[in-house]
């Protein structure tokens, strides 16, 4: 992909650096389609292949191979870039190359092509912050709610936080991830340790310790 691909990207998950990371650490036979007009990139798409269980949220198994227009990672970003007029043209070209069931993930624009199944993989949850800082938020709460938060924070006074590059991701971090996965009723996909350890900048690993014991983490 050329540099102009990133000009269409809406988030880091659609940019070339993260797509290269997925190629190395979650390879799913990714293909990339681009549409140019008069030398300018107008639309792009990421397509990959996956066998999907049609009864993921039930106790039955029926795995069907699909061609997915999206990103091979469970988040709420889509793999179709550009304005609707150009993406519609690009989709028609994709269907000339790709066979079987086509599934488009997390694309919000209307799609005219009847061959395409649209679906959301995860919901977007947005918190509207109405306060300038944490203290003003606390002061706006009713006393019982504020007391519960302060009591919870009091328990974290001895917790040490550490922010660093994702290459510090350790076996302890990964084992906690697997514990969560094993408790999940719907295991959509399990990422290998190298996926987390090799995340590019600007991803950062924040870990929280009680002395030397890892309590929890996030990226």
């Amino acid at each position: 992909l050329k540099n102009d691909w990133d000009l269409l990207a809406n988030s880091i998950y659609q940019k070339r650096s993260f797509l290269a990371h997925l190629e190395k650490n979650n390879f799913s036979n990714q293909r990339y389609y681009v549409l140019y007009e008069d030398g300018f990139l107008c639309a792009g798409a990421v397509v990959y292949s996956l066998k999907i269980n049609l009864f993921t949220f039930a106790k039955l198994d029926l795995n069907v191979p699909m061609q997915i227009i999206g990103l091979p990672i469970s988040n709420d970003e889509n793999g179709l870039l550009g304005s609707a007029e150009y993406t519609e043209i690009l989709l028609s070209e994709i269907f000339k190359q790709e066979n079987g069931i086509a599934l488009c993930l997390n694309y919000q624009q209307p799609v005219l092509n009847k061959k395409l199944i649209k679906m959301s993989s995860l919901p977007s949850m947005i918190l509207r912050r109405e306060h300038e800082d944490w203290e003003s938020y606390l002061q706006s709460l009713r006393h019982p709610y504020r007391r519960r938060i302060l009591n919870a924070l009091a328990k974290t006074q001895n917790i040490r936080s550490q922010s660093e590059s994702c290459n510090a991701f350790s076996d302890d971090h990964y084992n906690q991830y697997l514990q969560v996965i094993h408790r999940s009723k719907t295991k959509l996909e399990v990422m290998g340790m190298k996926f987390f350890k090799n995340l590019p900048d600007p991803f950062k690993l924040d870990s929280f310790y009680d002395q030397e014991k890892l309590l929890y983490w996030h990226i």
Side-chain angles (χ1 to χ4, degrees):
L1 296 177
K2 298 179 180 179
N3 291 336
D4 53 4
W5 174 278
D6 284 356
L7 298 177
L8 292 180
N10 295 314
S11 76
I12 188 173
Y13 297 106
Q14 296 174 328
K15 290 189 175 181
R16 295 184 310 149
S17 60
F18 191 75
L19 295 178
H21 172 70
L22 290 175
E23 287 273 355
K24 294 177 181 177
N25 300 288
N26 192 34
F27 184 72
S28 305
N29 191 26
Q30 292 97 319
R31 287 89 71 196
Y32 306 92
Y33 290 85
V34 291
L35 177 69
Y36 281 86
E37 182 179 60
D38 297 329
F40 292 96
L41 180 64
C42 300
V46 182
V47 182
Y48 67 99
S49 303
L50 189 68
K51 285 187 177 181
I52 294 182
N53 179 17
L54 297 183
F55 298 103
T56 296
F57 299 100
K59 294 183 178 180
L60 302 175
D61 282 327
L62 179 58
N63 294 310
V64 177
M66 293 189 182
Q67 313 309 327
I68 301 175
I69 302 172
L71 305 180
I73 178 177
S74 292
N75 68 8
D76 63 350
E77 194 55 84
N78 71 80
L80 197 54
L81 289 66
S83 60
E85 58 179 314
Y86 290 110
T87 54
E88 197 69 43
I89 299 171
L90 184 59
L91 284 173
S92 65
E93 293 300 317
I94 290 175
F95 290 134
K96 294 177 183 178
Q97 304 291 329
E98 304 287 346
N99 298 317
I101 301 175
L103 178 65
C104 188
L105 292 179
N106 306 318
Y107 187 62
Q108 303 304 318
Q109 301 292 336
V111 175
L112 299 177
N113 200 303
K114 301 301 182 183
K115 294 182 178 180
L116 191 66
I117 302 171
K118 285 182 59 178
M119 185 177 171
S120 296
S121 59
L122 290 172
S124 296
M125 305 185 71
I126 300 175
L127 174 65
R128 305 291 183 188
R129 296 193 300 175
E130 299 177 356
H131 303 86
E132 293 183 359
D133 53 36
W134 176 248
E135 286 302 322
S136 62
Y137 168 70
L138 282 179
Q139 294 306 315
S140 70
L141 296 174
R142 291 167 53 193
H143 177 69
Y145 298 110
R146 184 165 63 250
R147 185 178 67 248
R148 288 177 62 184
I149 290 179
L150 293 176
N151 288 341
L153 289 175
K155 297 179 181 179
T156 68
Q157 289 182 350
N158 296 324
I159 291 179
R160 172 176 58 89
S161 63
Q162 187 167 314
S163 182
E164 52 197 334
S165 167
C166 289
N167 61 26
F169 194 85
S170 67
D171 289 336
D172 287 342
H173 292 88
Y174 191 63
N175 287 334
Q176 285 192 356
Y177 165 72
L178 291 180
Q179 289 173 25
V180 174
I181 288 290
H182 293 328
R183 289 198 303 268
S184 173
K185 294 181 180 179
T186 54
K187 300 174 179 60
L188 294 179
E189 60 183 326
V190 180
M191 293 299 190
M193 182 171 173
K194 65 178 184 178
F195 171 82
F196 301 100
K197 195 173 184 68
N198 296 330
L199 280 165
D201 288 334
F203 288 93
K204 297 296 179 185
L205 172 66
D206 292 303
S207 308
F208 300 84
Y209 296 89
D210 181 1
Q211 296 183 5
E212 298 304 314
K213 180 182 178 182
L214 178 66
L215 299 179
Y216 52 95
W217 58 269
H218 65 79
I219 292 178

